[in-house]
Amino acid sequence: MYDNIFKELEDIINSNKTVVTDKLVKAISDSDCKDNVDIVNLIDKNLNIFKSMANDKDSNSVLVVISNVVDIDDAYINSLMFIMNNKHLRVYTLGEIIDVSSKFYRLISYGKLQEDIMSSNFESNSILEKGVLDVRDEIKSKVSLKVDGSKFSLNVRRSVFIFEKI
C-alpha cells in the first residue's frame, strides 16, 4: 500500500546522504509524499515523540525520523553536544530508538548517513573545557573525540528511520 511512498522517501534519502539534517527534513517536506508522512528531527525532541505522534489522530501512518545516533549512552558526550548546540536534547542509541518506537510503530527502513564531525572551541577553565577533558578514554575512542589545544571534534552518525504506525 505504501510502496510508492517508501520508494520516494528512500530515493530522497539516498540522494541526500551528506546534507545537514535540516536540509534533509526540508527535502522530504518539499517532496510529493509530504502529505502522507510525518517528519521528526529528533535532535530537539525526546523519545516521547513516538507516543505523541502515534496518539495524534491527525498524524499520518508513516513517520520519518532523522536523528544523530551513537553506539554508547554517555552523559559526557550528551553534555558536550548540548553545550555546542542548546537545541540538542540528547543523542540516543539505536537500541533506545528501536525499543521506544516499537510500542507504536513498525520499523520499515533504517539507513545510516555520512558521519557528522562536530567541532567547537573551548575557553580555558570553561565548562566546555572541563566536559571535553573529563570524557573517559574508552568513550573518546568510540566517538573519535580529538582535542587540539582549545579545539575539539567528535563523530556522530546521522541516521534515518522510516516507521509505519501499528
Side-chain angles (χ1 to χ4, degrees):
M1 178 170 155
Y2 298 111
D3 288 345
N4 289 341
I5 295 169
F6 296 142
K7 169 103 175 70
E8 184 175 345
L9 285 170
E10 291 196 341
D11 288 347
I12 293 166
I13 291 162
N14 289 334
S15 66
N16 286 282
K17 284 208 179 274
T18 61
V19 300
V20 295
T21 302
D22 291 342
K23 288 185 180 176
L24 181 55
V25 169
K26 183 168 175 18
I28 295 169
S29 297
D30 291 346
S31 72
D32 291 339
C33 65
K34 69 178 175 266
D35 297 326
N36 301 313
V37 301
D38 293 314
I39 305 160
V40 171
N41 181 352
L42 206 53
I43 191 169
D44 57 356
K45 309 271 188 295
N46 65 39
L47 291 179
N48 290 333
I49 191 70
F50 288 103
K51 182 177 182 180
S52 298
M53 294 296 290
N55 291 332
D56 181 352
K57 63 179 169 68
D58 293 329
S59 70
N60 290 299
S61 56
V62 177
L63 175 65
V64 177
V65 175
I66 302 172
S67 179
N68 290 330
V69 176
V70 293
D71 296 328
I72 39 97
D73 182 12
D74 183 74
Y76 286 105
I77 297 302
N78 280 301
S79 295
L80 291 178
M81 294 187 73
F82 178 77
I83 293 167
M84 289 167 35
N85 176 357
N86 65 6
K87 287 184 181 179
H88 169 81
L89 291 180
R90 188 161 177 267
V91 178
Y92 297 101
T93 65
L94 180 59
E96 288 173 313
I97 293 171
I98 298 300
D99 286 348
V100 172
S101 66
S102 67
K103 296 173 186 152
F104 311 100
Y105 291 91
R106 178 172 66 99
L107 181 64
I108 301 295
S109 180
Y110 166 70
K112 298 179 205 175
L113 303 178
Q114 181 178 352
E115 280 191 347
D116 280 339
I117 298 175
M118 301 184 77
S119 61
S120 188
N121 297 318
F122 54 78
E123 294 179 15
S124 184
N125 299 318
S126 67
I127 294 171
L128 187 54
E129 178 187 34
K130 181 170 176 22
V132 169
L133 298 179
D134 283 349
V135 174
R136 297 185 326 260
D137 288 341
E138 64 270 17
I139 302 299
K140 284 180 184 176
S141 66
K142 286 189 182 233
V143 297
S144 301
L145 178 64
K146 295 178 176 75
V147 180
D148 181 15
S150 64
K151 296 179 183 182
F152 72 96
S153 64
L154 58 103
N155 292 352
V156 178
R157 182 177 65 230
R158 183 180 301 118
S159 298
V160 177
F161 303 80
I162 302 173
F163 295 100
E164 181 178 31
K165 197 183 293 187
I166 51 178

